[in-house]
Amino acid sequence: MHNSSIYALALALSMSLHAGAQREASPLASGFSARAALMEHCADYLGAADQLTHYLDTREQLTSDAAEHGDEARLRLMRALLMQGEIRELSSVYDEFMSLSPASYLAPQADAVMADALFFSGDFEEALRIYSGLPLNTFPSPVLAGTKYRMAVSMIRRGLFSEAAQEFAYLKQEEGYNGISRFYLAYISYIQEDYRRALYDFSQLPADIASEMGADFYIAQIYFSGRMYERVLAMETQLMAAAERIDSEERYARAEALRLLGESAHALGDSRRALSWLRRHASMHPDGGELSARY
């Protein structure tokens, strides 16, 4: 899977922008908060983190009836630090949040941000443990959708495909998540070897999602499994382009794409092209090539 694109998409969609906080800026704590909200809206998360740090430093200026805004500011600071990859600082703010306000209604959202940090660090098991224990029905809609998305991806990474499919079926109804959810539902069908459904669902994806997520790679795999070798060879360009996208993180898809092309050419009696592709496959494969390709 193309994790770098997932990272960008998931973060962009999960940020809470607090548009209602865009009031006149002042040198007091409320002014820092307003400027931070504006910076979040413009994706200036480094600036937002700086403004929110100042906000927390001056929170003693807040009146008692606005004291609860300190929790909101810490939560927003945690999200900004997550965007910057500052996990140590994020953990420190989280610890402060839980020390000062363990019973806050925002505490589960703070837990969710820590789970997000684990998710983006690749610790899907621990992230899923936290996600699964969250009272998601208390989350506001934008935060809920982003959290459920990362929980569902974590489920896929842990092999919980049926559970993940339920979450993506829900997310299909959410604005901004329809396309990516449809991709993962098709991918789950592919993993579960429901190739007819997977092929149809992959072919119906929005063009941008299909391209970004490398859907043609999985379509070629389905054709190959069905011995439709002419179709595999006919999509050489699309297959290699999809493999390039997937290989931004995984580093396996190009070698596999070359195997599909080589073995398809061999099955059709085109030894010259088969050898060319299979030799390239063997040179890229960590074990010198799949057994079928080496044979």
Side-chain angles (χ1 to χ4, degrees):
M1 281 173 284
H2 186 199
N3 293 332
S4 60
S5 62
I6 295 171
Y7 186 100
L9 179 65
L11 279 175
L13 292 174
S14 67
M15 286 299 296
S16 178
L17 299 179
H18 303 278
Q22 296 178 16
R23 53 188 179 276
E24 182 180 358
S26 78
L28 301 180
S30 59
F32 287 125
S33 179
R35 286 191 294 276
L38 286 167
M39 290 176 179
E40 288 177 12
H41 188 73
C42 296
D44 180 6
Y45 301 110
L46 185 60
D50 178 69
Q51 289 296 309
L52 287 168
T53 299
H54 285 301
Y55 174 42
L56 292 172
D57 288 343
T58 60
R59 64 182 178 271
E60 67 272 7
Q61 299 178 50
L62 298 173
T63 57
S64 59
D65 63 334
E68 187 173 319
H69 288 296
D71 292 343
E72 181 180 350
R74 288 186 198 90
L75 180 59
R76 287 163 57 199
L77 176 58
M78 287 175 63
R79 288 175 176 151
L81 291 170
L82 177 65
M83 294 295 292
Q84 293 297 317
E86 301 289 349
I87 304 304
R88 181 176 298 178
E89 291 80 355
L90 165 59
S91 297
S92 178
V93 176
Y94 172 78
D95 290 342
E96 180 183 16
F97 186 113
M98 291 303 174
S99 175
L100 295 172
S101 306
S104 169
Y105 77 97
L106 293 174
Q109 292 186 49
D111 289 332
V113 177
M114 286 304 300
D116 292 344
L118 293 164
F119 173 89
F120 292 122
S121 298
D123 190 348
F124 301 106
E125 181 174 9
E126 183 61 16
L128 182 57
R129 185 190 67 78
I130 297 174
Y131 289 137
S132 299
L134 294 173
L136 295 179
N137 61 318
T138 68
F139 282 27
S141 181
V143 177
L144 173 62
T147 302
K148 287 178 79 69
Y149 169 79
R150 290 181 290 281
M151 181 171 70
V153 174
S154 298
M155 288 173 174
I156 286 180
R157 289 290 192 158
R158 299 303 301 161
L160 302 174
F161 300 115
S162 297
E163 295 87 340
Q166 293 178 16
E167 299 299 335
F168 285 119
Y170 167 88
L171 286 167
K172 275 179 62 177
Q173 314 307 316
E174 292 293 310
E175 184 178 359
Y177 284 88
N178 175 269
I180 194 66
S181 296
R182 286 165 58 190
F183 167 80
Y184 276 115
L185 287 168
Y187 177 77
I188 290 169
S189 295
Y190 165 80
I191 289 294
Q192 295 179 328
E193 299 185 0
D194 186 351
Y195 293 141
R196 178 174 296 182
R197 179 170 182 176
L199 182 60
Y200 177 80
D201 288 347
F202 278 130
S203 69
Q204 296 301 305
L205 289 174
D208 58 338
I209 293 293
S211 174
E212 185 69 17
M213 301 303 291
D216 283 329
F217 178 83
Y218 305 105
I219 291 173
Q221 291 273 9
I222 294 170
Y223 285 157
F224 184 83
S225 70
R227 300 184 179 183
M228 292 180 277
Y229 303 121
E230 294 91 345
R231 292 193 178 186
V232 176
L233 296 182
M235 61 183 301
E236 175 190 356
T237 301
Q238 304 97 297
L239 170 57
M240 293 308 298
E244 287 281 351
R245 287 191 174 277
I246 295 171
D247 268 352
S248 65
E249 293 291 337
E250 300 291 353
R251 306 297 179 193
Y252 76 91
R254 280 178 294 175
E256 176 64 7
L258 290 167
R259 183 187 72 83
L260 295 180
L261 292 168
E263 293 193 21
S264 294
H266 172 72
L268 295 173
D270 189 343
S271 299
R272 181 184 61 82
R273 287 205 295 171
L275 282 172
S276 175
W277 280 318
L278 292 174
R279 282 170 177 159
R280 289 169 61 194
H281 163 78
S283 70
M284 296 178 66
H285 196 283
D287 298 323
E290 293 286 352
L291 285 176
S292 58
R294 283 184 279 170
Y295 171 79

